[in-house]
Amino acid sequence: MSEQAKNNVLSGAKLRAKRELCGLTIEELAKECGCDWRDVRSLEEPWRGVGVSDDVAIAVGVCLDELQERMSRTLDYAVSVYEEFADVARTDAPAIVLPYYRDQAEFDKYSRDKGCYSFANAVTRACLAAFEDFGVPTRLYYPAEDEELHAMATKSRMMGDIE
């Protein structure tokens, strides 16, 4: 691997930690990055001695950075909306309702986003942790089990559209 690629690629342990933070399996990350799962495994486990092209290594690093940035923007947005309405929330204390997906098929059917349900669930877990720090009540639901609640939650999310 060239020096430039080494400077742009995370160590195997950091790559795995970032991937797991995003809630993705090796296969899911490979699909998001448009590469083979064996390439991602080789990057995470460099001691195996299987080489990966510089282009693939850089693409995986960039893809993970973009996913983490998306997660961060979503979390920042959720917290800013809560802070904007914090006075109302303190007096009424309604639970913030967030979807949690059982599998890819449920995500594909009920989410307006494209991508991997594991990533969406990781974002939900990050939001839950942030709201817990604020002492905000939260509630998870499976969209397939409560389509009416899902329609209401989707409508309120669309009022403050985020990527």
Side-chain angles (χ1 to χ4, degrees), residues 83-133:
E83 288 174 336
E84 188 175 331
F85 297 103
D87 292 335
V88 174
R90 283 192 193 101
T91 57
D92 274 349
I96 293 177
V97 181
L98 300 167
Y100 205 74
Y101 302 96
R102 291 186 190 278
D103 54 28
Q104 189 64 46
E106 184 177 45
F107 179 75
D108 291 342
K109 181 176 180 179
Y110 291 98
S111 177
R112 63 189 177 118
D113 299 322
K114 301 285 184 224
C116 180
Y117 86 100
S118 299
F119 178 73
N121 285 348
V123 171
T124 296
R125 290 189 300 272
C127 288
L128 284 174
F131 290 135
E132 188 175 279
D133 288 346

Side-chain angles (χ1 to χ4, degrees), residues 25-140:
T25 65
I26 287 174
E27 293 81 4
E28 291 166 337
L29 176 59
K31 185 177 177 183
E32 288 287 321
C33 298
C35 66
D36 190 88
W37 67 269
R38 288 175 284 254
D39 291 336
V40 175
R41 186 179 74 180
S42 295
L43 288 168
E44 286 188 11
E45 302 170 355
W47 59 88
R48 290 180 177 270
V50 179
V52 176
S53 77
D54 290 356
D55 291 342
V56 169
I58 291 169
V60 169
V62 167
C63 181
L64 266 174
D65 287 344
E66 288 172 358
L67 287 169
Q68 283 198 299
E69 178 59 30
R70 236 172 80 200
M71 181 182 279
S72 180
R73 281 194 321 267
T74 303
L75 182 57
D76 289 347
Y77 172 78
V79 169
S80 70
V81 167
Y82 171 74
E83 288 174 336
E84 188 175 331
F85 297 103
D87 292 335
V88 174
R90 283 192 193 101
T91 57
D92 274 349
I96 293 177
V97 181
L98 300 167
Y100 205 74
Y101 302 96
R102 291 186 190 278
D103 54 28
Q104 189 64 46
E106 184 177 45
F107 179 75
D108 291 342
K109 181 176 180 179
Y110 291 98
S111 177
R112 63 189 177 118
D113 299 322
K114 301 285 184 224
C116 180
Y117 86 100
S118 299
F119 178 73
N121 285 348
V123 171
T124 296
R125 290 189 300 272
C127 288
L128 284 174
F131 290 135
E132 188 175 279
D133 288 346
F134 281 114
V136 177
T138 56
R139 178 173 161 220
L140 292 178

